[in-house]
Amino acid sequence: MSKKNRRFLISSLLLSVLFFGMGLFGIYALDPAGVNKKFDFGLIKDSELTLRTQKFVELNRVKPNTILLGGSRMHFMDTKFIEKYTHDRVYNLGMSISTLEEQYQFLNYSLEHFDIKNVIIGLNLYTFSQNLRENKNSDYDPKLFTDGFTPFKQFKYYMEFPLHKYFSDYLGKGYSKPLFKNGGRTHYSELLYGGGKSWRVKEKDVVESFGELYYNKYLTWGDSGFNYLRKMVKLCKEHHVKLKLFTTTVHNSLLDVLKQTGKTDIYLKWKRELATIAPYYDFMYYHNISKNSDNYNDPSHLFQKHGDLYFHKIFKKEPLTKESDIGIFVTKENIDKHMEFLEENLKL
């Protein structure tokens, strides 16, 4: 190879490395998901794109005393409702399509690294299914909890970041306000989540999704979810942490789907098994809140503004108002009576 060609090859390689490095640094500086927070260009961060990684990094930054765990129904909860009862730093670890394995990993890590006083877990029937639908968009990495966000993981993270989707969503939805705060979705994010659809359309979409997919195809009985919950309860006891468990409310139309798909036996068995593990508040049944669509963003998600219906009852052991007297405290001592109530409630 001639000197001229060799110089050309070396120059081309150096330029390629330079442009590659500039591209990576550009993504790092833009920080679309709010991971490093080193620069501020006024862009709205979309944590949902790499939610597990973003929450792990932010968790270490916040160092909370109280954490919330659960799926998307918990992700919509505003931490201000909990702060007024715990009077400490609260962080929302709720995540869309969150598995109990993920929740266990985040709990175990939090208890080992921070001064955790309170743990609040919102329980969803589907997550206890032995057969779960694969979440192909998840960035869950169990090694993150043992190795940390290492330089290699950071390099891989920025290499694989879905930048095109970020700008596509940003421009398509016209983001103008923060989407997340203290780990939870903001009210603005909640409005975007609804997509401007009417209740009738959202009800049809969600009911079909649960009826044809989550309940009918995937919801099966098994031990794996309960085993993770048992380990979580044990961890909280070992660390002398106050644990609050509750089942999340859904609109009546989703309770109807349980009956239509013939899954009420799993629903009832689930409630009974939970009581053998730890006491909990049950909010998932037909009641005066669940019958009113005005209380829900869609059949699966209570509006954020009503979050204190949960937390006032859980922390104060009394309803927020007489009209919102929902939530039944369930223990292994009163589970038989509660099962009788649920069987009658399902006839509504």
Side-chain angles (χ1 to χ4, degrees), residues 69-70 73-74 100 103 121-125 127-128 229 245-249 270 274 280-281 284:
L69 294 162
R73 296 171 192 168
M74 287 297 281
L100 286 160
Q103 294 173 38
I121 307 177
L123 304 171
N124 178 356
L125 171 61
T127 57
F128 285 83
L229 183 62
L245 298 175
F246 69 96
T247 63
T248 50
T249 181
W270 173 60
L274 289 178
Y280 66 95
Y281 276 92
M284 188 182 176

Side-chain angles (χ1 to χ4, degrees), residues 1-9:
M1 182 184 294
S2 66
K3 284 187 176 181
K4 182 178 180 180
N5 288 338
R6 192 160 49 246
R7 284 197 300 268
F8 177 77
L9 179 61

Side-chain angles (χ1 to χ4, degrees), residues 88-340:
D88 56 19
R89 290 189 302 277
V90 181
Y91 189 73
N92 190 335
L93 282 167
M95 295 177 287
S96 297
I97 323 179
S98 173
T99 66
L100 286 160
E101 177 188 347
E102 292 172 331
Q103 294 173 38
Y104 166 77
Q105 292 280 15
F106 271 103
L107 172 63
N108 186 42
Y109 183 87
S110 298
L111 291 173
E112 288 181 352
H113 291 83
F114 314 119
D115 183 21
I116 301 295
K117 304 294 185 184
N118 303 281
V119 173
I120 305 166
I121 307 177
L123 304 171
N124 178 356
L125 171 61
Y126 170 70
T127 57
F128 285 83
S129 175
Q130 191 68 18
N131 183 27
L132 294 173
R133 184 189 185 191
E134 181 184 2
N135 181 8
K136 295 181 179 179
N137 295 320
S138 174
D139 61 325
Y140 172 61
D141 178 8
K143 290 185 178 180
L144 196 62
F145 300 97
T146 54
D147 302 343
F149 197 38
T150 62
F152 174 75
K153 287 185 183 295
Q154 293 180 50
F155 175 79
K156 185 172 182 288
Y157 169 84
Y158 290 110
M159 276 284 294
E160 298 176 349
F161 189 87
L163 193 63
H164 177 269
K165 178 170 173 51
Y166 171 72
F167 281 112
S168 177
D169 289 346
Y170 200 116
L171 297 174
K173 297 177 182 178
Y175 296 155
S176 60
K177 297 179 182 179
L179 301 173
F180 301 92
K181 181 181 179 181
N182 296 330
R185 288 182 176 272
T186 61
H187 175 57
Y188 173 72
S189 176
E190 180 180 53
L191 295 176
L192 289 178
Y193 187 88
K197 298 178 182 177
S198 68
W199 171 261
R200 182 172 296 182
V201 172
K202 289 190 288 187
E203 182 178 43
K204 180 177 180 295
D205 290 345
V206 173
V207 165
E208 286 182 356
S209 178
F210 273 82
E212 298 175 7
L213 197 64
Y214 293 113
Y215 287 168
N216 196 41
K217 185 176 181 179
Y218 288 101
L219 185 58
T220 54
W221 184 260
D223 294 327
S224 59
F226 293 103
N227 289 337
Y228 273 115
L229 183 62
R230 289 187 184 95
K231 290 197 290 186
M232 293 163 81
V233 171
K234 183 180 179 183
L235 277 176
C236 289
K237 288 180 179 178
E238 290 173 349
H239 286 81
H240 307 290
V241 167
K242 295 177 182 177
L243 173 63
K244 310 286 187 182
L245 298 175
F246 69 96
T247 63
T248 50
T249 181
V250 295
H251 184 258
N252 281 1
S253 55
L254 270 193
L255 293 169
D256 293 341
V257 173
L258 280 171
K259 294 190 286 187
Q260 293 161 6
T261 55
K263 300 292 185 176
T264 54
D265 57 334
I266 293 180
Y267 164 80
L268 293 171
K269 195 175 180 181
W270 173 60
K271 297 284 185 80
R272 181 178 286 279
E273 188 67 19
L274 289 178
T276 68
I277 299 173
Y280 66 95
Y281 276 92
D282 189 8
F283 291 90
M284 188 182 176
Y285 56 90
Y286 291 103
H287 46 65
N288 62 330
I289 299 298
S290 67
K291 69 182 181 181
N292 189 347
S293 62
D294 291 340
N295 296 322
Y296 296 82
N297 193 11
D298 64 43
S300 185
H301 298 95
L302 185 72
F303 269 125
Q304 186 179 90
K305 64 183 180 181
H306 298 309
D308 213 19
L309 292 175
Y310 291 137
F311 305 117
H312 189 88
K313 187 66 174 282
I314 290 170
F315 282 96
K316 293 295 186 180
K317 298 180 174 57
E318 61 184 21
L320 187 61
T321 65
K322 290 182 180 179
E323 295 75 22
S324 61
D325 190 3
I326 62 170
I328 300 170
F329 189 59
V330 183
T331 67
K332 59 184 179 182
E333 285 76 27
N334 72 356
I335 185 60
D336 289 336
K337 182 178 179 181
H338 187 56
M339 295 305 295
E340 291 176 5

